[in-house]
Short mmCIF file of all heavy atoms in Angstrom, two decimals:
data_model
loop_
_atom_site.label_atom_id
_atom_site.label_comp_id
_atom_site.label_asym_id
_atom_site.label_seq_id
_atom_site.Cartn_x
_atom_site.Cartn_y
_atom_site.Cartn_z
N VAL A 145 19.25 37.64 11.86
CA VAL A 145 20.24 36.67 11.39
C VAL A 145 19.85 36.11 10.02
O VAL A 145 20.68 36.02 9.11
CB VAL A 145 20.40 35.53 12.42
CG1 VAL A 145 21.25 34.39 11.85
CG2 VAL A 145 21.03 36.06 13.70
N SER A 146 18.57 35.75 9.85
CA SER A 146 18.15 35.13 8.59
C SER A 146 18.22 36.11 7.42
O SER A 146 18.59 35.72 6.30
CB SER A 146 16.72 34.58 8.74
OG SER A 146 15.80 35.62 8.97
N PHE A 147 17.87 37.39 7.66
CA PHE A 147 17.90 38.36 6.56
C PHE A 147 19.32 38.58 6.07
O PHE A 147 19.60 38.52 4.86
CB PHE A 147 17.28 39.68 7.00
CG PHE A 147 17.39 40.77 5.97
CD1 PHE A 147 16.71 40.67 4.77
CD2 PHE A 147 18.20 41.87 6.18
CE1 PHE A 147 16.81 41.66 3.80
CE2 PHE A 147 18.31 42.87 5.23
CZ PHE A 147 17.62 42.77 4.04
N PHE A 148 20.24 38.82 6.98
CA PHE A 148 21.61 39.09 6.56
C PHE A 148 22.33 37.82 6.11
O PHE A 148 23.26 37.88 5.31
CB PHE A 148 22.36 39.82 7.67
CG PHE A 148 21.92 41.25 7.83
CD1 PHE A 148 21.01 41.60 8.82
CD2 PHE A 148 22.36 42.22 6.96
CE1 PHE A 148 20.59 42.92 8.95
CE2 PHE A 148 21.94 43.54 7.07
CZ PHE A 148 21.05 43.89 8.07
N THR A 149 21.88 36.66 6.62
CA THR A 149 22.39 35.41 6.06
C THR A 149 21.94 35.25 4.61
O THR A 149 22.72 34.86 3.74
CB THR A 149 21.89 34.22 6.90
OG1 THR A 149 22.41 34.32 8.23
CG2 THR A 149 22.35 32.90 6.29
N GLY A 150 20.67 35.56 4.36
CA GLY A 150 20.16 35.49 2.99
C GLY A 150 20.89 36.44 2.06
O GLY A 150 21.19 36.08 0.91
N LEU A 151 21.18 37.66 2.53
CA LEU A 151 21.94 38.59 1.70
C LEU A 151 23.33 38.03 1.38
O LEU A 151 23.79 38.11 0.24
CB LEU A 151 22.07 39.93 2.42
CG LEU A 151 20.92 40.92 2.30
CD1 LEU A 151 21.24 42.20 3.07
CD2 LEU A 151 20.62 41.25 0.84
N ALA A 152 23.98 37.49 2.40
CA ALA A 152 25.32 36.94 2.18
C ALA A 152 25.30 35.78 1.19
O ALA A 152 26.22 35.61 0.38
CB ALA A 152 25.92 36.49 3.51
N VAL A 153 24.23 34.98 1.25
CA VAL A 153 24.12 33.82 0.35
C VAL A 153 23.84 34.25 -1.08
O VAL A 153 24.38 33.67 -2.04
CB VAL A 153 23.02 32.86 0.86
CG1 VAL A 153 22.70 31.80 -0.19
CG2 VAL A 153 23.45 32.20 2.16
N LEU A 154 23.04 35.30 -1.28
CA LEU A 154 22.51 35.62 -2.60
C LEU A 154 23.24 36.73 -3.34
O LEU A 154 23.06 36.86 -4.56
CB LEU A 154 21.02 35.98 -2.49
CG LEU A 154 20.10 34.85 -2.06
CD1 LEU A 154 18.66 35.34 -1.95
CD2 LEU A 154 20.17 33.69 -3.03
N LEU A 155 23.99 37.56 -2.65
CA LEU A 155 24.58 38.71 -3.32
C LEU A 155 25.47 38.34 -4.50
O LEU A 155 25.56 39.09 -5.48
CB LEU A 155 25.38 39.54 -2.31
CG LEU A 155 24.56 40.54 -1.47
CD1 LEU A 155 25.45 41.27 -0.49
CD2 LEU A 155 23.84 41.55 -2.38
N ASP A 156 26.14 37.22 -4.44
CA ASP A 156 27.02 36.82 -5.53
C ASP A 156 26.38 35.82 -6.49
O ASP A 156 27.05 35.27 -7.36
CB ASP A 156 28.32 36.22 -4.98
CG ASP A 156 28.07 34.95 -4.17
OD1 ASP A 156 26.91 34.75 -3.73
OD2 ASP A 156 29.03 34.17 -3.96
N LYS A 157 25.05 35.60 -6.32
CA LYS A 157 24.36 34.65 -7.20
C LYS A 157 23.75 35.39 -8.39
O LYS A 157 23.17 36.47 -8.25
CB LYS A 157 23.25 33.93 -6.42
CG LYS A 157 23.76 33.18 -5.18
CD LYS A 157 24.78 32.13 -5.54
CE LYS A 157 25.17 31.28 -4.34
NZ LYS A 157 25.88 32.05 -3.30
N PRO A 158 23.86 34.82 -9.59
CA PRO A 158 23.36 35.53 -10.78
C PRO A 158 21.86 35.75 -10.76
O PRO A 158 21.38 36.76 -11.30
CB PRO A 158 23.79 34.61 -11.94
CG PRO A 158 24.02 33.27 -11.31
CD PRO A 158 24.50 33.53 -9.93
N TRP A 159 21.09 34.84 -10.19
CA TRP A 159 19.63 35.00 -10.20
C TRP A 159 19.15 36.11 -9.26
O TRP A 159 18.01 36.54 -9.35
CB TRP A 159 18.93 33.69 -9.87
CG TRP A 159 19.13 33.16 -8.47
CD1 TRP A 159 18.41 33.50 -7.37
CD2 TRP A 159 20.10 32.20 -8.04
NE1 TRP A 159 18.86 32.80 -6.27
CE2 TRP A 159 19.90 31.99 -6.65
CE3 TRP A 159 21.09 31.47 -8.68
CZ2 TRP A 159 20.67 31.10 -5.91
CZ3 TRP A 159 21.86 30.58 -7.95
CH2 TRP A 159 21.66 30.41 -6.59
N PHE A 160 20.02 36.57 -8.38
CA PHE A 160 19.64 37.70 -7.52
C PHE A 160 19.54 38.99 -8.33
O PHE A 160 18.75 39.88 -8.01
CB PHE A 160 20.68 37.86 -6.40
CG PHE A 160 20.37 38.99 -5.45
CD1 PHE A 160 19.40 38.85 -4.47
CD2 PHE A 160 21.07 40.19 -5.53
CE1 PHE A 160 19.12 39.89 -3.60
CE2 PHE A 160 20.80 41.22 -4.65
CZ PHE A 160 19.82 41.08 -3.68
N TRP A 161 20.32 39.09 -9.41
CA TRP A 161 20.35 40.30 -10.23
C TRP A 161 19.55 40.14 -11.52
O TRP A 161 19.00 41.13 -12.02
CB TRP A 161 21.80 40.66 -10.55
CG TRP A 161 22.65 40.73 -9.32
CD1 TRP A 161 23.52 39.79 -8.85
CD2 TRP A 161 22.71 41.81 -8.39
NE1 TRP A 161 24.11 40.20 -7.68
CE2 TRP A 161 23.64 41.45 -7.37
CE3 TRP A 161 22.08 43.05 -8.30
CZ2 TRP A 161 23.94 42.28 -6.30
CZ3 TRP A 161 22.37 43.89 -7.22
CH2 TRP A 161 23.30 43.51 -6.24
N ASP A 162 19.50 38.95 -12.07
CA ASP A 162 18.80 38.70 -13.33
C ASP A 162 17.72 37.65 -13.09
O ASP A 162 18.02 36.49 -12.80
CB ASP A 162 19.79 38.23 -14.40
CG ASP A 162 19.13 38.06 -15.76
OD1 ASP A 162 17.90 38.29 -15.87
OD2 ASP A 162 19.84 37.68 -16.72
N HIS A 163 16.45 38.02 -13.22
CA HIS A 163 15.34 37.13 -12.92
C HIS A 163 15.34 35.88 -13.79
O HIS A 163 14.96 34.79 -13.33
CB HIS A 163 14.01 37.86 -13.09
CG HIS A 163 13.91 39.09 -12.24
ND1 HIS A 163 12.89 40.00 -12.37
CD2 HIS A 163 14.69 39.54 -11.22
CE1 HIS A 163 13.06 40.96 -11.48
NE2 HIS A 163 14.14 40.72 -10.78
N ARG A 164 15.75 36.03 -15.04
CA ARG A 164 15.69 34.88 -15.94
C ARG A 164 16.69 33.79 -15.55
O ARG A 164 16.54 32.64 -15.96
CB ARG A 164 15.94 35.34 -17.37
CG ARG A 164 14.74 36.04 -18.01
CD ARG A 164 15.01 36.40 -19.46
NE ARG A 164 13.80 36.81 -20.15
CZ ARG A 164 13.31 38.04 -20.12
NH1 ARG A 164 13.91 38.98 -19.40
NH2 ARG A 164 12.19 38.35 -20.78
N GLU A 165 17.68 34.13 -14.77
CA GLU A 165 18.65 33.14 -14.32
C GLU A 165 18.03 32.11 -13.38
O GLU A 165 18.62 31.06 -13.13
CB GLU A 165 19.83 33.83 -13.62
CG GLU A 165 20.78 34.53 -14.55
CD GLU A 165 21.49 33.56 -15.47
OE1 GLU A 165 21.82 32.44 -15.02
OE2 GLU A 165 21.73 33.91 -16.65
N CYS A 166 16.84 32.42 -12.85
CA CYS A 166 16.15 31.44 -11.99
C CYS A 166 15.81 30.18 -12.77
O CYS A 166 15.63 29.11 -12.17
CB CYS A 166 14.86 32.05 -11.43
SG CYS A 166 15.13 33.33 -10.18
N TRP A 167 15.72 30.31 -14.10
CA TRP A 167 15.28 29.16 -14.91
C TRP A 167 16.37 28.66 -15.83
O TRP A 167 16.12 27.77 -16.65
CB TRP A 167 14.05 29.56 -15.72
CG TRP A 167 13.00 30.18 -14.86
CD1 TRP A 167 12.65 31.49 -14.78
CD2 TRP A 167 12.20 29.50 -13.90
NE1 TRP A 167 11.68 31.68 -13.84
CE2 TRP A 167 11.38 30.48 -13.28
CE3 TRP A 167 12.08 28.17 -13.49
CZ2 TRP A 167 10.47 30.16 -12.28
CZ3 TRP A 167 11.17 27.85 -12.49
CH2 TRP A 167 10.38 28.84 -11.92
N ALA A 168 17.57 29.20 -15.72
CA ALA A 168 18.67 28.74 -16.58
C ALA A 168 19.04 27.31 -16.20
O ALA A 168 19.51 27.04 -15.10
CB ALA A 168 19.87 29.67 -16.41
#
Side-chain angles (χ1 to χ4, degrees):
V145 171
S146 64
F147 175 67
F148 287 99
T149 297
L151 276 181
V153 169
L154 294 179
L155 277 178
D156 62 341
K157 302 300 187 294
W159 66 86
F160 181 77
W161 307 100
D162 184 359
H163 303 170
R164 284 183 168 84
E165 285 295 323
C166 289
W167 309 106

